[in-house]
Amino acid sequence: MDRLFERKYSVDVPKLGYGLNQESFTVDDAFFAAFEFSPIHQGNLKVAVSIDKSDTHLDAKFHFTGEIMIECDRCLEPYPFPLEFETRVVYSFAPELEFDTDEVVLIDESMPTLFFAQDFYDFIILQLPLRRVPAAEVHLCAPNVLELLGLNPDGSPKEPDPIEEEEEVADPR
């Protein structure tokens, strides 16, 4: 990743005042293009970051809102997937401190900048559903794709054709 990209998604720790600090970021198509082999190519998300700075740690709360475009697992056509979620990370200067969360990252106290780009990407990727098949109101696959998959136009499985019983032919041997 280039320095301009990293700078866009970072916070200078010395500039943060003690107590609550608010930052905001925009995650767009250029953001996802910076990550090689990303399953997401389009999106528009707003990230509000609340950072509570103390002597021993930074408590960061991230609130993501917006939508991304993901591919349907059936027909590979993109469809909009809305996202709204919150997550928290504690950036600790002291390894001996114990927190009530699993999301603790140890950082050096002299670290001048926190880079959030990789964290943002990871948080978004973790929100993707395992099975990416939208509801019929969101996206309908092409009828020819559904036919090939043996599905009705609404995406439900077709009823199997009744098997015609063939008369048993006696073996003439």
Side-chain angles (χ1 to χ4, degrees), residues 56-96:
T56 58
H57 66 279
L58 302 170
D59 189 355
K61 294 179 181 148
F62 304 93
H63 182 81
F64 291 77
T65 55
E67 96 178 357
I68 56 175
M69 297 294 285
I70 58 176
E71 290 180 348
C72 174
D73 283 343
R74 286 193 295 226
C75 65
L76 300 179
E77 289 293 322
Y79 70 93
F81 184 72
L83 284 177
E84 182 165 358
F85 65 96
E86 289 185 358
T87 190
R88 175 182 175 212
V89 176
V90 176
Y91 298 95
S92 176
F93 305 126
E96 65 275 356

Side-chain angles (χ1 to χ4, degrees), residues 1-32:
M1 289 182 220
D2 64 1
R3 290 201 183 274
L4 184 61
F5 177 78
E6 286 180 347
R7 195 83 195 124
K8 184 177 179 181
Y9 298 101
S10 65
V11 170
D12 293 329
V13 176
K15 290 183 181 177
L16 295 174
Y18 284 96
L20 192 61
N21 298 273
Q22 300 288 335
E23 298 286 335
S24 63
F25 301 92
T26 301
V27 173
D28 54 11
D29 300 349
F31 175 85
F32 294 111

Side-chain angles (χ1 to χ4, degrees), residues 129-143:
L130 292 176
R131 185 169 184 261
R132 298 178 196 150
V133 178
E137 305 85 50
V138 176
H139 166 77
L140 284 176
C141 296

Side-chain angles (χ1 to χ4, degrees), residues 122-133:
D122 293 341
F123 296 148
I124 294 167
I125 292 298
L126 287 173
Q127 296 299 312
L128 293 178
L130 292 176
R131 185 169 184 261
R132 298 178 196 150
V133 178

